[in-house]
Amino acid sequence: MNGIILYGSQYGAALQYAQALEVRTGLPALSYDQVKGLGDYDTIVYIGSLYAGKTTGLAKTLPKLPTDHPFRLLVATVGLADPDNEDSLIPIRKALMKELSPGVFARTTHVHLRGAIDYQVLSLKHRMMMKGLCTVLRRQSQAERSPENQMILDSYGKAVDFIDFDALKPILDWLEQ
């Protein structure tokens, strides 16, 4: 296998997962913007943080995918949603369907990893986005809120860390196939 791990990270969770995967596999982990092309690889793992329905760096990576030979692609998104809650994964999959062409989406393995958030280090833009989201969520009754939405409200303004390196197991299993 000639593989690579790429990551798109804003605040470090995707980077941490990529580095942990690099240690476990021996595959190089590089930021998506450090790679000019992916034609040399037959196995590509992309780990990207989620922001406003987009996977950081994924759109800029797609044109670099090999066109002259078959390749395997796994996209791991990193966000606050609980991957054990199927309802929370539906919007993530829908967003990936918009980011990836139908052909690439159909042949891509998808994994979701939980990340972290620390309001003290968020950019002004991201703080404002979270403030707007929380304003909308507060207008809902508690009965209407999903567990993820309630967690966002409960953690607003704080630091929470859900990073779990044991969650890399599905990626490791995929790499061994």
Side-chain angles (χ1 to χ4, degrees), residues 6-177:
L6 299 175
Y7 63 87
S9 190
Q10 290 277 333
Y11 297 106
L15 169 62
Q16 288 180 54
Y17 279 119
Q19 290 173 333
L21 197 58
E22 178 180 43
V23 168
R24 287 164 174 77
T25 64
L27 296 175
L30 299 169
S31 175
Y32 74 92
D33 55 5
Q34 292 179 296
V35 177
K36 300 270 188 262
L38 296 168
D40 294 339
Y41 301 100
D42 57 28
T43 302
I44 302 159
V45 175
Y46 191 89
I47 303 174
S49 54
L50 290 172
Y51 291 97
K54 302 278 186 203
T55 307
T56 302
L58 185 58
K60 292 182 179 179
T61 301
L62 295 175
K64 301 175 187 178
L65 292 174
T67 56
D68 60 344
H69 65 275
F71 63 93
R72 297 185 325 141
L73 176 64
L74 181 144
V75 174
T77 54
V78 180
L80 296 178
D82 182 354
D84 293 331
N85 181 343
E86 188 61 32
D87 290 338
S88 67
L89 298 181
I90 293 169
I92 294 170
R93 286 192 193 104
K94 285 182 180 178
L96 278 175
M97 289 171 88
K98 290 179 184 176
E99 288 189 276
L100 301 170
S101 69
V104 172
F105 181 84
R107 60 183 283 211
T108 300
T109 299
H110 312 112
V111 174
H112 181 69
L113 304 168
R114 289 194 89 181
I117 190 167
D118 182 349
Y119 283 84
Q120 298 302 312
V121 298
L122 287 183
S123 69
L124 178 60
K125 175 183 170 185
H126 289 152
R127 280 196 313 270
M128 297 307 292
M129 288 170 57
M130 292 306 293
K131 182 178 182 178
L133 175 61
C134 287
T135 298
V136 170
L137 295 177
R138 283 188 193 103
R139 291 182 185 142
Q140 295 177 335
S141 70
Q142 268 194 303
E144 291 177 295
R145 290 183 202 139
S146 70
E148 268 73 33
N149 288 344
Q150 187 60 50
M151 182 273 308
I152 288 170
L153 285 174
D154 293 343
S155 65
Y156 182 70
K158 303 172 188 163
V160 292
D161 187 339
F162 297 110
I163 294 173
D164 176 8
F165 297 120
D166 290 338
L168 292 172
K169 184 170 179 358
I171 300 172
L172 293 167
D173 292 345
W174 178 83
L175 286 167
E176 290 178 8
Q177 294 176 1

